[in-house]
Amino acid sequence: MAAIPAGVIARLKGARHVVVFTGAGASAESGIPTFRDQQSGLWRHFDVQSLATPEAFDRDPALVWGWYEWRRVQVLASEPNAAHHAIAGLAARVERPTLITQNVDDLHERAGSRKVLHLHGRLCAPYCSACRSEYQAAPQPLQAQAGCRLEPPRCDRCGGRVRPGVVWFGECLPSGPWEQSVEAACRCDAFLCIGTSSLVEPAAGLTRAAIAAGAVTVQVNLDSTCLDDFVTLNLRGPAATVLPELLADVWPAVE
Ligand code: BJW
Ligand code: ZN
C-alpha cells in the first residue's frame, strides 16, 4: 500500500464518528461477482432490464427468481474476506462507527458486524410482492444455476408471489437505513468508501455528502472512479489487502 500522508492519518485518528461505506468490490475477493467490472461483472453477462427491475419480475417471475436463487447459492458458498473482518474489528476501536453497504450479501454480518445499514436490501430476506410480508418458510433446496428458471414460492398470508428482498432500479431505498445513512454521512468526521463504482444513485450521493460536510474521505478501489478527484485520498488496490493495512495503521488493535 502507498504511504498515507501523515496529515490524513492524523485526521483519521482524530475522527470520532467513522462511516464505512461498501460496494461490490468489498465482496469480490470472497468470490461474489461485481456488477460493472469489465471481465466478470454481472451486467456484462446478464441483461439488467430483464432481471433487476420490477417490470422484469412482473413479466417473467421464474427467470428473475431463478437468477436470484443462483446468486443466493453463491453467497451461501462464500466466506467473508479480510476486508469484512477488518471492518468488523473496527467497531471495538472507534467511538462511533457506522457501516453502510450496497451489498445484498450477508458477509459483513458473518464477519461479526452487528448493525449493518443495507441500502439495496438482502438476498436472504425475500418478501411478498403483494402484501409485503416477510417470507418465513424454510429455504428451498440449493439447486439454482445461472440462467435456470424457478417458480417463486407463494405468500403464506395472501398467496401473492414472493420476490427477492433486494432493491431494483426504479425502486425506493428502504427509508430507515437510507435516512440513517444520510444522517451519518452528513455528520461523520471520516468516511471510507470501499469497492464501489459510485455510479448508482442515490447511494453514491453519500460520499459526496461526506465530502461536502468536510469529512476526511478515503476511497479504496482497484480502479479509478468518478470520485477520484474529490476524495481526500485514493488507495488503489484490492480491498482485502489495502483495507486491513489501512485500519491497522490508523486504529491499531488494543492488546
Ligand atoms: C474492487 C475490487 C476489489 C472490484 N477491491 N475494489 C440520479 C441520476 C441518474 C440516475 C438516477 C438518479 N437517481 C436515481 C437514478 C436511477 C437509478 C440509478 O442510479 N441509475 C444509474 C445506474 C444511472 N437508481 C435507482 O433506480 C435507485 N432507486 C431510486 O433512485 O429510487 C428513486 C427513484 C425512482 C425512480 C426514478 C428516480 C428516482 C435504486 C438503485 C438500486 C440498485 N440496485 C442494484 C441491484 C441490487 C439487487 C441485485 O444485487 O441484483 O444494486 S444495481 C447494483 O449496483 C447493485 C449495487 O448495490 C449497485 C452499486 O454497485 P457497486 O457496488 O458500486 O458495484 P460495481 O460493480 O458498480 O463497482 C464495483 C467497484 O469495485 C468497481 O469500482 C471496481 O473497480 C471495484 N473493485 N474488485 C477493491 N477486490
Ligand atoms: Zn402476501
Side-chain angles (χ1 to χ4, degrees):
M1 185 176 68
I4 305 172
V8 175
I9 298 246
R11 286 183 70 191
L12 289 169
K13 276 185 191 293
R16 292 180 59 217
H17 181 188
V18 179
V19 172
V20 181
F21 175 52
T22 61
S27 293
E29 288 155 275
S30 293
I32 312 286
T34 64
F35 294 91
R36 296 172 185 81
D37 280 295
Q38 286 296 333
Q39 301 298 324
S40 56
L42 287 169
W43 300 154
R44 302 274 160 206
H45 302 279
F46 299 98
D47 176 30
V48 56
Q49 295 298 334
S50 310
L51 292 163
T53 64
E55 295 77 20
F57 187 65
D58 288 344
R59 218 169 26 236
D60 194 344
L63 178 74
V64 173
W65 182 260
W67 192 68
Y68 279 95
E69 279 297 282
W70 168 66
R71 303 258 314 275
R72 191 174 68 85
V73 170
Q74 270 187 330
V75 169
L76 282 173
S78 69
E79 296 292 335
N81 65 49
H84 299 107
H85 287 295
I87 293 167
L90 194 62
R93 311 209 296 274
V94 303
E95 207 169 298
R96 216 179 130 207
T98 301
L99 175 54
I100 306 169
T101 190
Q102 298 167 85
N103 297 343
V104 296
D105 62 54
D106 62 351
L107 296 181
H108 283 304
E109 286 87 347
R110 279 160 55 195
S113 287
R114 288 220 194 87
K115 185 173 179 199
V116 187
L117 299 172
H118 279 272
L119 296 183
H120 293 160
R122 295 181 301 139
L123 281 172
C124 60
Y127 64 91
C128 173
S129 58
C131 74
R132 302 187 76 86
S133 53
E134 275 177 46
Y135 181 62
Q136 302 279 10
Q140 293 180 323
L142 303 178
Q143 57 188 354
Q145 293 170 352
C148 77
R149 303 168 68 84
L150 280 176
E151 208 45 55
R154 292 282 176 172
C155 170
D156 306 328
R157 290 201 188 159
C158 78
R161 270 200 190 92
V162 172
R163 58 160 282 175
V166 302
V167 179
W168 286 320
F169 284 110
E171 294 189 311
C172 290
L173 274 53
S175 58
W178 173 243
E179 280 154 22
Q180 289 174 56
S181 299
V182 171
E183 161 91 12
C186 293
R187 287 177 184 262
C188 68
D189 315 298
F191 189 100
L192 312 181
C193 179
I194 316 300
T196 173
S197 59
S198 295
L199 291 174
V200 175
E201 302 293 346
L206 293 172
T207 310
R208 296 194 303 269
I211 294 168
V216 56
T217 48
V218 180
Q219 189 175 224
V220 175
N221 202 301
L222 271 185
D223 229 323
S224 58
T225 81
C226 53
L227 293 180
D228 280 9
D229 293 341
F230 305 100
V231 295
T232 316
L233 179 70
N234 285 294
L235 294 175
R236 194 77 78 231
T241 307
V242 172
L243 193 61
E245 285 179 24
L246 169 72
L247 300 188
D249 276 4
V250 179
W251 296 285
V254 182
E255 296 299 325

